[in-house]
Amino acid sequence: MFWLSGGITFLFLCHGAALPPPCDSEIYCTGELLRQVQMAKLFDDNKAFVDMKLTAAPDIVLDAFSNLTQRFPNGTVPPSALQVFVNTYFANSGKEFEPWSPPDWHDKPKLLSKISDPKLRTWAEELHGLWKSLGRKISNDVRDNPQMYSMIYCPYPGIVPGGRFTEFYYWDSYWVLNGLILSEMMETARGMIQNFLHMVDRYGFVPNGGRIYYERRSQPPFLPLMVESYYEATKDVEFLRKALPMLENEYSFWMENRSIVVEVNSVKHVMNRYYVQVGQPRPESYTHDAELAEGLPAEAQEKLWTELKAGAESGWDFSSRWYINNLGQNNGSFGDTRTSSILPVDLNALICRNERVLATFHRILGDEERARVYDSAVSSRLKAIESVLWDAEKGAWFDYNLLSRTRNSAFYPTNLSPLWARCYSQPEMGQQALQYLRGSGALDYPNGVPTSLSQSGQQWDMPNAWPPLQHMLIEGLSQLDSSDAKDLASDLAQQWIRTNWLAYVKYDAMFEKYDVSGDGKPGGGGEYEVQLGFGWTNGAALQLLDQYGNKLTSGGSVLGSGLLIGLIYPIVNVISYYVPFW
Ligand SMILES: *[C@@H]1O[C@H](CO)[C@@H](O)[C@H](O)[C@H]1NC(C)=O
Ligand SMILES: *[C@@H]1O[C@H](CO)[C@@H](O)[C@H](O)[C@H]1NC(C)=O
Ligand SMILES: *[C@@H]1O[C@H](CO)[C@@H](O)[C@H](O)[C@H]1NC(C)=O
Ligand SMILES: *[C@@H]1O[C@H](CO)[C@@H](O)[C@H](O)[C@H]1NC(C)=O
C-alpha cells in the first residue's frame, strides 16, 4: 500500500508474501526446532545455541526432531527432552577453529617508542600482545562441510572482537585493522580485508558478522576505509586494483538496496538508511525478539522484526535513537524501534567519505572518468547532507525522521560525524559544530562522551561510551583548523585513554564499552553481559596512543587535578581558617 505523507510517498511492504528468513537454514535461521529450543531458554544466551555445530547431517537432525515432536500430542517438546535432543545432535562451539597465532606478530613495534609515559607504554605493549589471543583461523572442516556449521567460512585468519563474539564483525574490524597496521601486522590486516572482499563477491555486500544468521543484513560500510588504511600503510597499488571492483559492488548495494529519495524544499535527494527486509526473530536473540513482539498482530510483529534487524545493521543495537512513537515523535520505548524511518547522520557521512575514497582510488589507478562519477556523487551527497541534516540554528547535523519530516534534536556523538568524514562545504560549520558540542552537555562526564543523553537501559545510550564513537569524534575535532578544537580533541583522547587504562589496571581486561560516570567502569545494559577482549577498544586505544603518545599520561588530567584538589583543598581551608585575609 502507499501512504502519502507531506509530499513523500512511502512504499510499505506488502504482507501478502512473507519476508525471507534470516538465512535459509531450517536449523539455524528458521523453523520449529529453532523456535522450540530458543523459547525453552535452554541457554542463558540464545547465541550459544545457534553457534553450535551439528553432529549429524541437517536432514537427519530435522527428521529426528520431527519424530520427537510426534511423541507429544500438541507437538511441543518439553525442555528436558529438548535438552537431550540438543545434547545428541549438537556439539559445543569452538570446533570451527584451528589453533592459530598471527605469524606476523613481533614485539616492539615502532608505535611503542612514541609513547612517553612509561606505564602507558607498558600497557600499549600488552594491548599489542592481545592480538595473539584474539586471532582465529576457521578450520578446513567448515570449508568442506559448511552445512554442519553456522560459521561462514573465511579463507584467511583474522582478529575477532572477543567474548561472545568469536566470528568477524564488520564495522568492528575497521578499528581492529587500524590497530593491526600500527602493530605492523600487515599480513593479518590484508587477510581480513581479503575476507571482506570475498564476502562482497559471495553476497553482494559484507554481512553483519561471520555467521549465516547474519547473512541478510550488513553493518556500517567501512570496507573502503579499511582498504584506504591498508593502502596508505603499504602503497600497494596492485592490491588496490584487485579490491576496487568489489568496493564498487558494495557501493552499488548501498545505493540500490539501502537508499531512499527524500524531498526537502522541493529538491529530491538520494540518501542512505538501514533497511532489512527479513522476517522472523533474530536467531541469536530469538526469545528477546519474540517476547518483544508478543501480543502484536502478525503484521506488526513482522514489521518490528525488520526494524530490529535494521537496528542491528546500524551497529547501534539498540538505542533510543531509533525510537519513533505512534505520533511520529523521536520518543517511545523499545517496541517503537523504527530504524528504517530515520536517515542517520553517520551513515550518510560515512558513505560520503567512501565516495571520496573511491574517486581517489580511481585517480591512483589512472581512471579519471570513473573518478569523476564519484566526485559528482560527493557533491550530491554534500547538498543532501546540508539540506536535510544540517541545522544552521543549532550548528550541527541531526538524524532526519522520515515520518514527521523533522530532524531529531537529541544529542548523539554522530551528530558531529560529518567533521570526521570532512563532508561539509563551509569551513565555519566546523566551528559551529564545536560550539554545539560545548553547549550540548555531552562534555560533562569524566570518562568519555556518552552515546546519548537518554538513560533508556539500551546499550547504545547513556551511560555507555563506545570506542568507535570516541575515536571518530576525536579524529573529527583534530582535523578542524582551530586550536580550540584540537585542544578539545587532545583532552578527550586523554580522558578516554585514562578510562581504558584505569579499567585495565582494575580488571586486567579491555571492555567493549565503558560507563561515562565511573572511573574505569565497564558499560552495561542491553541484551547481553559486557564483553571482554576487545578488538575495537584495543584498536582505538592504539590509534590514540599513536597520535597523542607524547602527551598522554596514565595519571591523566582529570585524575591529576582531582588528586591535586584533594591535597590543596584541606591546606587552603586550614590556611584560610588561621589567616583571615587569605
Ligand atoms: C524417524 O522415524 C522414522 C519412522 O519411525 C524412522 O524410520 C527414522 O529413522 C527416524 N529418524 C531419525 C533420524 O531418528
Ligand atoms: C502442550 O502440552 C504440554 C503437556 O502436555 C503442555 O505443558 C503445554 O502447555 C502444551 N503446549 C501448548 C502450546 O499447548
Ligand atoms: C538488491 O535489490 C535488488 C532489487 O532492487 C535485488 O534484486 C537484489 O537481490 C538486492 N541485493 C541484495 C544483495 O540484497
Ligand atoms: C517522551 O515521552 C515521555 C513519556 O511520555 C515524556 O515524559 C517526555 O517528555 C517525552 N520526551 C520528548 C523529547 O518528547
Side-chain angles (χ1 to χ4, degrees):
M1 87 176 144
F2 289 91
W3 182 34
L4 291 169
S5 154
I8 306 193
T9 307
F10 291 100
L11 179 58
F12 267 61
L13 30 122
C14 169
H15 281 278
L19 293 171
C23 75
D24 289 335
S25 163
E26 286 181 49
I27 291 171
Y28 291 114
C29 287
T30 183
E32 198 51 20
L33 166 54
L34 175 71
R35 193 186 70 78
Q36 290 203 22
V37 171
Q38 298 293 42
M39 293 312 284
K41 301 191 179 173
L42 298 186
F43 303 87
D44 290 341
D45 183 345
N46 281 188
K47 189 173 185 299
F49 173 59
V50 288
D51 287 358
M52 292 176 101
K53 172 193 189 304
L54 300 183
T55 60
D59 300 357
I60 295 175
V61 177
L62 287 170
D63 193 33
F65 185 70
S66 161
N67 286 359
L68 178 61
T69 59
Q70 281 159 27
R71 286 178 33 209
F72 301 93
N74 59 12
T76 302
V77 182
S80 54
L82 274 177
Q83 186 69 63
V84 172
F85 179 83
V86 169
N87 295 348
T88 310
Y89 289 102
F90 292 82
N92 280 333
S93 59
K95 300 210 165 43
E96 53 273 69
F97 304 112
E98 285 172 7
W100 179 77
S101 188
D104 51 353
W105 190 91
H106 63 93
D107 56 8
K108 308 275 187 276
K110 286 185 212 61
L111 152 79
L112 298 174
S113 64
K114 292 188 182 175
I115 304 168
S116 311
D117 184 303
K119 286 185 184 144
L120 290 184
R121 200 182 318 123
T122 306
W123 174 55
E125 210 170 335
E126 289 174 28
L127 293 186
H128 167 66
L130 286 176
W131 298 132
K132 290 192 284 189
S133 61
L134 296 172
R136 295 285 182 283
K137 180 183 192 319
I138 300 181
S139 67
N140 290 340
D141 195 47
V142 176
R143 181 193 59 200
D144 300 338
N145 298 295
Q147 74 286 357
M148 306 294 283
Y149 297 89
S150 63
M151 184 65 88
I152 296 173
Y153 180 70
C154 294
Y156 296 88
I159 301 293
V160 301
R164 81 201 269 275
F165 305 114
T166 59
E167 49 285 313
F168 79 73
Y169 282 82
Y170 184 15
W171 76 312
D172 292 64
S173 298
Y174 178 57
W175 286 272
V176 168
L177 193 107
N178 286 332
L180 290 176
I181 289 171
L182 291 170
S183 283
E184 298 161 16
M185 295 166 67
M186 298 305 167
E187 195 185 324
T188 303
R190 182 188 172 103
M192 288 181 70
I193 295 175
Q194 281 169 305
N195 285 339
F196 290 130
L197 296 171
H198 178 78
M199 292 301 130
V200 177
D201 196 27
R202 176 167 169 186
Y203 296 104
F205 62 94
V206 180
N208 182 142
R211 295 274 178 180
I212 56 176
Y213 50 76
Y214 293 136
E215 78 181 20
R216 289 184 179 149
R217 64 183 203 237
S218 190
Q219 249 190 349
F222 273 92
L223 183 53
L225 302 191
M226 294 184 208
V227 174
E228 178 192 43
S229 295
Y230 182 79
Y231 176 76
E232 281 174 359
T234 61
K235 301 291 174 212
D236 185 344
V237 177
E238 278 320 299
F239 186 74
L240 204 56
R241 198 185 306 282
K242 285 193 205 122
L244 191 48
M246 287 304 136
L247 299 185
E248 295 201 88
N249 287 353
E250 192 206 21
Y251 177 72
S252 304
F253 164 80
W254 283 90
M255 296 315 289
E256 280 162 27
N257 301 66
R258 296 291 186 268
S259 70
I260 188 166
V261 176
V262 54
E263 189 175 322
V264 171
N265 298 329
S266 312
V267 183
K268 290 188 171 125
H269 303 278
V270 181
M271 301 192 76
N272 291 92
R273 59 171 170 166
Y274 298 105
Y275 184 65
V276 183
Q277 290 307 301
V278 169
Q280 307 183 16
R282 290 169 301 148
E284 77 283 9
S285 297
Y286 196 100
T287 45
H288 170 273
D289 291 8
E291 285 165 6
L292 191 65
E294 225 161 61
L296 294 176
E299 223 172 90
Q301 287 191 329
E302 194 88 327
K303 169 82 173 132
L304 177 56
W305 291 330
T306 66
E307 296 296 354
L308 294 176
K309 291 186 196 84
E313 186 170 77
S314 78
W316 285 47
D317 40 340
F318 288 95
S319 173
S320 63
R321 185 180 172 197
W322 308 131
Y323 296 172
I324 301 182
N325 64 18
N326 290 337
L327 302 172
Q329 298 160 330
N330 293 98
N331 198 354
S333 59
F334 201 3
D336 298 314
T337 295
R338 289 196 156 207
T339 320
S340 73
S341 294
I342 293 168
L343 300 178
V345 180
D346 46 348
L347 176 61
N348 285 282
L350 170 59
I351 295 185
C352 179
R353 190 167 159 184
N354 287 347
E355 285 160 341
R356 191 177 296 120
V357 162
L358 291 172
T360 305
F361 288 171
H362 278 298
R363 284 214 164 81
I364 292 169
L365 296 171
D367 192 341
E368 184 56 29
E369 203 180 312
R370 291 294 298 159
R372 291 227 181 94
V373 171
Y374 289 100
D375 288 347
S376 108
V378 172
S379 36
S380 309
R381 179 81 52 180
L382 281 172
K383 284 192 200 111
I385 288 181
E386 281 172 26
S387 15
V388 183
L389 307 178
W390 172 252
D391 185 321
E393 219 164 280
K394 296 197 175 74
W397 298 266
F398 297 88
D399 293 343
Y400 189 77
N401 175 333
L402 289 165
L403 298 179
S404 64
R405 300 171 58 75
T406 56
R407 287 182 285 263
N408 176 3
S409 60
F411 171 83
Y412 309 104
T414 45
N415 291 357
L416 292 103
S417 55
L419 298 183
W420 167 84
R422 299 186 204 251
C423 210
Y424 54 100
S425 59
Q426 311 297 320
E428 36 316 344
M429 289 174 165
Q431 212 51 35
Q432 282 174 277
L434 176 63
Q435 291 317 315
Y436 160 77
L437 177 61
R438 289 198 192 283
S440 68
L443 300 180
D444 297 347
Y445 302 87
N447 293 280
V449 176
T451 310
S452 78
L453 302 180
S454 160
Q455 193 118 27
S456 69
Q458 299 295 352
Q459 59 168 352
W460 289 85
D461 268 312
M462 186 70 126
N464 289 341
W466 290 85
L469 304 184
Q470 308 301 310
H471 182 256
M472 288 166 82
L473 183 61
I474 292 168
E475 190 170 293
L477 292 168
S478 76
Q479 290 169 3
L480 286 180
D481 192 17
S482 112
S483 54
D484 271 10
K486 287 184 199 303
D487 288 348
L488 178 58
S490 159
D491 290 349
L492 291 176
Q494 171 64 54
Q495 190 185 56
W496 186 245
I497 285 296
R498 176 182 152 271
T499 295
N500 284 202
W501 186 75
L502 284 178
Y504 188 81
V505 169
K506 206 148 131 196
Y507 298 92
D508 198 18
M510 296 296 285
F511 296 92
E512 61 169 349
K513 58 182 181 265
Y514 295 86
D515 186 322
V516 293
S517 54
D519 274 351
K521 189 172 155 201
E527 297 181 287
Y528 54 82
E529 294 298 309
V530 68
Q531 301 296 309
L532 307 182
F534 196 92
W536 67 11
T537 314
N538 307 356
L542 290 176
Q543 284 184 86
L544 295 177
L545 288 163
D546 176 62
Q547 197 177 345
Y548 297 102
N550 59 347
K551 348 186 194 177
L552 294 173
T553 67
S554 54
S557 55
V558 181
L559 180 70
S561 58
L563 279 176
L564 223 57
I565 288 167
L567 281 172
I568 290 173
Y569 230 78
I571 299 173
V572 170
N573 276 334
V574 168
I575 296 174
S576 61
Y577 188 81
Y578 289 106
V579 185
F581 298 108
W582 170 264

